[in-house]
Each structure stands twice: as C-alpha cells, then as structure tokens.
Amino acid sequence: MIRYSQLYWQFFKKHLKVMMEYRLDFFIGVMSVVLIQFTSIFFVKVVFDQIEDLNGWGFYEVLFIYGVATMGRSIHHIFFDNLWTIGWQYIRPGNFDRLLIRPINPLFHLIADRVQQDGFGQLVIGGLLMAAAMPHLGVEWGPVNLLILLVLIVSSGAIFVAVNLFFATLSFWIVDSLPITFAAFNLSDFARYPLNIYHKGIRWLLTWLIPYGFTAFYPAAAFIEHSGYRELGMITPLIAVISCWLAYRFWKVGLRAFNSTGS
C-alpha cells in the first residue's frame, strides 16, 4: 500500500503539472461543470417554487441529497474517470497490453493514468450545496456527525467506482462497453431525489441490484429524522465494501479472459 500510495502521488503530481500548463482549459472545464450543475439545481428550485414538498421531502432535504450525490460523483470523476475509456482507448487500439507488462497492478495503472479536472467543479458544487442545506436539517453537526457524513460520502464515491468498474469490465468481452456503462451510470440520476417517489420496482433496482441509492438518497436520509431510512443509510460503507469486492472479482475474471486486439 505504501508503494502504491507513493506511485499514485507521482502520477497525480504529473497530471496536475500538465493541467496547470493549460490553466485556461482547466478553469473552463471546472466552470462548465459548475454551470451544468447549477442548471439542474435551478430546475429543482423552480419545482419547489410551485409545491411545498416532494412526497414529504422539503427543498433543503432534497438539496442535501443532491449535495451528497454530487460529492460522491466528484470522487469518482476526479480520480477514477479513466475507467470510462478502457474499451476505446486501451483495449481496441491494443494499448492495454502495455499496462500488463508493467510491474504494477494493471487496474491501478489504468486509474492512475488520468486525473479529470472537471471533477473539481463537482466537488465545489457539492460542498456549496451541502453547506446551504445542512443548517436547515435540524441536525447538530458536531465532530461525530461530520465524521459519519465524511465516511458516507467516501462510501458513495466508492459505489460509483464499483458500478463503473463492473460495467467497464465488459469491454474484455465486447471490446467497448461504453454505451452499456453510460446507460447504467445514467440510472444514478434517479438517486439524487427521494427514492420513495418512485415505483417499488425502481427502488429495488437502485437499492439491491445497481446500488446507486446508496450513493445519495440513503446516506443523506440517515441524517433526516423523519425519513425512516437511517438504518439503511448507515450500512452504506458495508454496501461500498461489498460492491468494490464484487466489481474487482469481476475485473479479475475479465482480465483472465482478455485477448489482445492488436493495433
């Protein structure tokens, strides 16, 4: 772990230097994500201007759910965005072979090969949303609750990574799984709103099959007293560990099935 931590820090510093060489591109990327996120939040505000609550959930509660989702996504977006590219950038042109001949874990190398600056915009927006919503939730934000919140946000990010890794691994069989991965990832948009507004089939899908509910709704609901989902929200770290374990096991299966496509 120490060796890989040191290696990742070297990769990360290299990426930051590259991004700072093109500072305008960096800030344009960050601001574009900020503007996109603000558009979505504006839509939520317009909806709540017309209604008092959404099936019992107030504006700041929905804003808090949205903030948790955005923070979790930012972790995935900044550090693990290269998972999207495994099919079309590595396997199809034959570039994955070079990862296999390096004396480090190929999944680590794939992840460390890229840092996505746009994710910093999501991180900023997520922080602002949570800062705006937290004073209105009736929660005493002491050190314990803040630590629990941090653990749940990191767990949210881990679940995003696990789901993306699982579907990206399909590229070992179909060369490019980007359309499938993108379709699955879009389901996470449902989890940015209270899951009890959806049909029970969608709730089950986003809870136990593709656990995006644990990236936003359930961890946020753990701090909302009337939600009735505190216990479910508190098992988010366990769901994250299981999801990452299953995704990595599937990755290992895919790795054994890999055949180089050449260039």
Side-chain angles (χ1 to χ4, degrees), residues 112-243:
D113 250 1
R114 184 180 187 184
V115 172
Q116 179 56 271
Q117 70 266 26
D118 296 356
F120 290 104
Q122 284 188 322
L123 186 66
V124 170
I125 286 296
L128 291 175
L129 291 177
M130 295 181 69
M134 287 164 67
H136 301 274
L137 300 180
V139 177
E140 187 66 38
W141 293 106
V144 174
N145 275 336
L146 288 174
L147 179 60
I148 292 172
L149 178 60
L150 177 61
V151 170
L152 295 182
I153 288 172
V154 172
S155 300
S156 165
I159 293 170
F160 274 116
V161 173
V163 175
N164 246 29
L165 175 60
F166 183 89
F167 286 102
T169 298
L170 293 174
S171 292
F172 287 123
W173 291 278
I174 62 177
V175 180
D176 189 359
S177 65
L178 181 61
I180 298 173
T181 307
F182 186 72
F185 188 78
N186 281 341
L187 291 174
S188 65
D189 289 343
F190 287 97
R192 294 190 296 187
Y193 302 95
L195 288 190
N196 60 359
I197 69 175
Y198 304 122
H199 185 272
K200 62 182 180 180
I202 295 177
R203 295 201 301 270
W204 183 87
L205 170 69
L206 296 178
T207 301
W208 305 119
L209 189 59
I210 304 177
Y212 279 133
F214 290 96
T215 64
F217 174 65
Y218 292 126
F223 295 96
I224 299 172
E225 192 163 337
H226 71 80
S227 72
Y229 293 102
R230 178 171 176 78
E231 292 76 14
L232 208 52
M234 294 303 287
I235 68 168
T236 298
L238 175 62
I239 299 298
V241 170
I242 293 172
S243 299

Side-chain angles (χ1 to χ4, degrees), residues 19-169:
M19 286 189 286
M20 289 299 100
E21 283 293 318
Y22 303 94
R23 296 185 183 183
L24 183 59
D25 285 349
F26 174 81
F27 287 111
I28 288 174
V30 170
M31 291 309 299
S32 65
V33 173
V34 169
L35 291 174
I36 291 170
Q37 293 296 326
F38 264 124
T39 302
S40 300
I41 298 159
F42 179 73
F43 171 75
V44 174
K45 181 65 170 64
V46 169
V47 170
F48 273 93
D49 283 342
Q50 309 302 316
I51 60 175
E52 289 187 10
D53 60 68
L54 186 63
N55 199 24
W57 297 82
F59 172 68
Y60 287 106
E61 293 167 344
V62 173
L63 206 62
F64 185 63
I65 298 169
Y66 209 102
V68 172
T70 305
M71 292 289 282
R73 281 189 180 202
S74 72
I75 294 172
H76 167 268
H77 201 173
I78 294 170
F79 301 106
F80 300 91
D81 198 64
N82 213 31
L83 292 174
W84 288 98
T85 71
I86 181 174
W88 59 272
Q89 198 165 38
Y90 288 87
I91 294 177
R92 177 176 289 166
N95 291 328
F96 191 74
D97 300 66
R98 69 179 175 84
L99 304 188
L100 297 177
I101 62 174
R102 304 284 174 83
I104 55 176
N105 185 298
L107 179 58
F108 169 83
H109 199 332
L110 176 69
I111 291 167
D113 250 1
R114 184 180 187 184
V115 172
Q116 179 56 271
Q117 70 266 26
D118 296 356
F120 290 104
Q122 284 188 322
L123 186 66
V124 170
I125 286 296
L128 291 175
L129 291 177
M130 295 181 69
M134 287 164 67
H136 301 274
L137 300 180
V139 177
E140 187 66 38
W141 293 106
V144 174
N145 275 336
L146 288 174
L147 179 60
I148 292 172
L149 178 60
L150 177 61
V151 170
L152 295 182
I153 288 172
V154 172
S155 300
S156 165
I159 293 170
F160 274 116
V161 173
V163 175
N164 246 29
L165 175 60
F166 183 89
F167 286 102
T169 298

